[in-house]
Amino acid sequence: MLCETMMPIGWAVGNRVGFASAIRQPLRVTKAKGKPPMTQAYYSAVLDRPLDEVWSLIRDFNNYPAYIDGVSESEIEDDKRGDEVGAIRRFCHLGNWIRQRLVDHSDRQHTLTYAGLDALPYPQDDGSQTPAPTRYQGTMHLRPIIEGDRTLIEWSVALDTEPADAARWQALFASWIPDWTDSLARTLARSS
């Protein structure tokens, strides 16, 4: 499938399915020395699959189409591996091409961090003042839950946005991350 359709990002977020239980977190704002505060969207859920199974699915940075609904294709640029720090993935999500760099990857810690290479435009909405594009960096971290051989996933995205737009961007990502996590949970359920 080619990434030709021009649906706005966030156009379809899907229905939630009860495969993951969530802990909602309030808006987080962090301040780096000498920089304006960054907003963070955070979500955690329990996946009813063993950590090694979840990690084997997400550890390859190029495996996005396998577990995120709406991602139709993905490729790693410059012949890098999907677990190689510095690798750039270019993927099509709901008709939009997005490029991200793998910033950190640890098989030991079961974590990966990625950063958007281009500022993300705010999707079409209700016609009110559209927030300025944002830069972002996301982290997926898995932890084992011994009871039941399950996995805790923590997914956070730090947003470098205009202060006036921070709440809208945080709310948008706070709605997207649970949907992405639910998509992952559905994929894992199908594979069992």
Side-chain angles (χ1 to χ4, degrees):
M1 174 179 190
L2 293 177
C3 194
E4 296 176 334
T5 29
M6 287 304 174
M7 292 182 235
I9 296 174
W11 171 79
V13 291
N15 294 323
R16 295 229 167 87
V17 180
F19 294 113
S21 54
I23 301 169
R24 298 242 181 230
Q25 297 292 327
L27 172 70
R28 293 181 178 192
V29 178
T30 57
K31 183 168 171 90
K33 189 175 183 177
K35 291 189 174 188
M38 299 219 7
T39 300
Q40 183 175 14
Y42 174 86
Y43 184 77
S44 63
V46 173
L47 302 170
D48 291 326
R49 307 302 307 159
L51 182 137
D52 289 340
E53 183 181 335
V54 179
W55 183 244
S56 69
L57 180 60
I58 70 169
R59 74 173 300 280
D60 183 343
F61 194 50
N62 199 35
N63 213 17
Y64 229 34
Y67 65 91
I68 298 295
D69 293 338
V71 176
S72 58
E73 52 189 298
S74 178
E75 63 184 43
I76 298 286
E77 298 177 1
D78 301 324
D79 296 320
K80 295 196 180 227
R81 295 184 327 270
D83 62 353
E84 187 175 345
V85 171
I88 296 172
R89 74 176 166 199
R90 181 176 174 262
F91 64 94
C92 180
H93 182 253
L94 301 174
N96 296 282
W97 283 105
I98 300 170
R99 292 177 70 230
Q100 297 172 337
R101 178 184 317 273
L102 184 60
V103 175
D104 187 45
H105 186 282
S106 173
D107 284 323
R108 182 179 169 155
Q109 298 296 319
H110 301 101
T111 185
L112 64 84
T113 300
Y114 57 90
L117 294 179
D118 303 307
L120 187 66
Y122 198 84
Q124 300 296 323
D125 61 344
D126 60 8
S128 62
Q129 178 84 19
T130 301
T134 188
R135 297 220 172 259
Y136 62 95
Q137 179 169 297
T139 298
M140 298 170 73
H141 186 192
L142 304 180
R143 297 175 191 263
I145 297 176
I146 305 307
E147 181 184 339
D149 198 16
R150 298 176 298 163
T151 303
L152 173 69
I153 182 170
E154 296 179 292
W155 197 331
S156 62
V157 178
L159 302 161
D160 185 8
T161 187
E162 295 295 322
D165 299 332
R168 287 183 70 193
W169 273 111
Q170 192 278 339
L172 185 61
F173 272 88
S175 71
W176 283 349
I177 299 170
D179 289 324
W180 300 332
T181 304
D182 288 347
S183 178
L184 171 61
R186 286 190 300 274
T187 300
L188 291 164
R190 284 191 298 267
S191 70
S192 60

